[in-house]
Amino acid sequence: MAPALRLLRKAGALALLGEEAIMEIVQERDLELLSQTPLFSYLSDDEIRKVCRATNCYIKQYSRGEFLMRSGESISAAGLVLEGRVAIYTAPGYDGIERIIAEIGIGEMYGEPFNCLSYQVTPISVTASTAARVLIIDVRELFDLKVDQATSQRVLANLAIQFAEKITLFRGKVEVLSQSTLKKKILAAVKQEAEYQNTFNPVIPLTKVSFAQYLCVNRNTLARTLNELEEEGELAIQGRNYRLLRPEHMLFVLKSPQSPESGIHSTQSRS
């Protein structure tokens, strides 16, 4: 396990105690947020504290654009986003370009499948899209928690849900990229966001450059195709706000109570 940092209260503040210590979660706002995430759902604040101590997890802050994880480097932990948004990228392809897989936000995790499988190096890169605070946790520690049995069983059940959420995330991109034309890829991506946000007017949480990378096309091609979709009456677009003008095939799926969007992501009513 990688060395961590321990933070303790001292004279009413947090004091750093050295390179080989562990960071404890002491802020109530973090405990409240963690309780709403898939990994810590149905746990009391005291149980969350016990799990955090048992796993030696800690919080780290990142500036916009900073790497949280870099492809090709060793991996000893995963991350749970507490504040801000982060983008997940593939490892560089034959052309040397890293392409965006997804952008995630509060309550969502990155790197946990590779951490769990004890990958020697990570096949993804993760960067901070905004300033971010992240809980760093070695998910392998969750399989042998030194806590009471009920808490341990609940955490393992939550971890299964977390992996199911990640499968859903990657299934979505496979569905988008499997479409036969760029127009269909765009409509599939917008439709997924609309269903995720429970609205016919979704906000695409990507810049045009990132959206083009997500669809594996260049920005000019994306811009031209978006204009054509507007002219054909499929979409109305204003900045990152998209409106589906032909939503006949929308499927608003009832999400799990443990899903991040149920507990954290703000949803809008259908219009």
Side-chain angles (χ1 to χ4, degrees):
M1 185 186 307
L5 299 175
R6 182 181 293 275
L7 290 177
L8 296 175
R9 290 187 183 277
K10 184 177 182 181
L14 290 173
L16 185 64
L17 292 187
E19 294 184 352
E20 296 188 355
I22 301 163
M23 184 179 289
E24 280 192 329
I25 303 299
V26 294
Q27 298 186 53
E28 290 302 317
R29 60 174 179 147
D30 295 328
L31 295 174
E32 182 179 357
L33 180 55
L34 287 171
S35 70
Q36 299 177 60
T37 66
L39 188 59
F40 291 98
S41 61
Y42 298 116
L43 297 180
S44 68
D45 285 356
D46 186 55
E47 289 170 330
I48 293 174
R49 290 189 189 96
K50 290 178 181 178
V51 173
C52 289
R53 294 190 185 105
T55 57
N56 295 338
C57 62
Y58 60 98
I59 289 177
K60 190 170 182 180
Q61 298 189 36
Y62 295 90
S63 301
R64 180 180 179 182
E66 188 175 354
F67 276 94
L68 289 70
M69 188 175 285
R70 194 188 296 264
S71 64
E73 295 184 349
S74 61
I75 176 173
S76 59
L80 174 61
V81 181
L82 298 181
E83 294 179 9
R85 297 189 66 81
V86 305
I88 305 172
Y89 292 85
T90 64
Y94 284 110
D95 55 6
I97 297 175
E98 294 181 325
R99 291 177 169 83
I100 193 166
I101 298 171
E103 186 173 277
I104 62 174
I106 296 172
E108 297 176 289
M109 292 188 73
Y110 62 85
E112 70 279 18
F114 313 115
N115 175 215
C116 184
L117 293 172
S118 298
Y119 271 44
Q120 295 301 308
V121 297
T122 175
I124 61 171
S125 289
V126 183
T127 62
S129 302
T130 66
R133 294 177 69 247
V134 177
L135 181 79
I136 307 298
I137 182 169
D138 186 344
V139 296
R140 294 169 297 185
E141 297 289 339
L142 299 176
F143 295 106
D144 189 28
L145 280 175
K146 300 301 188 288
V147 297
D148 61 275
Q149 185 177 8
T151 300
S152 179
Q153 290 178 342
R154 181 69 258 172
V155 171
L156 289 176
N158 289 347
L159 184 61
I161 293 171
Q162 179 64 52
F163 280 119
E165 292 285 351
K166 190 52 59 72
I167 290 171
T168 301
L169 175 69
F170 285 103
R171 181 209 64 83
K173 182 156 189 181
V174 170
E175 180 181 335
V176 169
L177 296 184
S178 67
Q179 302 301 313
S180 58
T181 67
L182 178 56
K183 287 181 180 180
K184 290 179 180 179
K185 288 180 172 68
I186 293 170
L187 291 173
V190 176
K191 175 176 176 288
Q192 284 181 8
E193 280 297 329
E195 292 170 349
Y196 181 87
Q197 298 173 29
N198 195 38
T199 177
F200 293 141
N201 304 278
V203 175
I204 301 299
L206 298 170
T207 64
K208 289 296 191 295
V209 172
S210 295
F211 196 19
Q213 290 178 347
Y214 180 83
L215 297 169
C216 301
V217 298
N218 64 56
R219 183 181 181 181
N220 291 335
T221 300
L222 174 63
R224 182 174 62 252
T225 307
L226 288 174
N227 287 335
E228 291 174 359
L229 286 170
E230 286 192 285
E231 292 171 357
E232 294 167 6
E234 295 284 356
L235 294 173
I237 305 169
Q238 186 173 9
R240 297 191 186 187
N241 298 285
Y242 288 64
R243 180 176 177 82
L244 285 162
L245 301 179
R246 296 177 183 174
E248 296 88 357
H249 302 293
M250 295 296 295
L251 180 63
F252 290 94
V253 181
L254 179 63
K255 305 295 182 180
S256 161
Q258 290 81 19
S259 175
E261 63 239 57
S262 297
I264 294 171
H265 293 291
S266 60
T267 56
Q268 306 170 44
S269 301
R270 288 192 239 175
S271 57

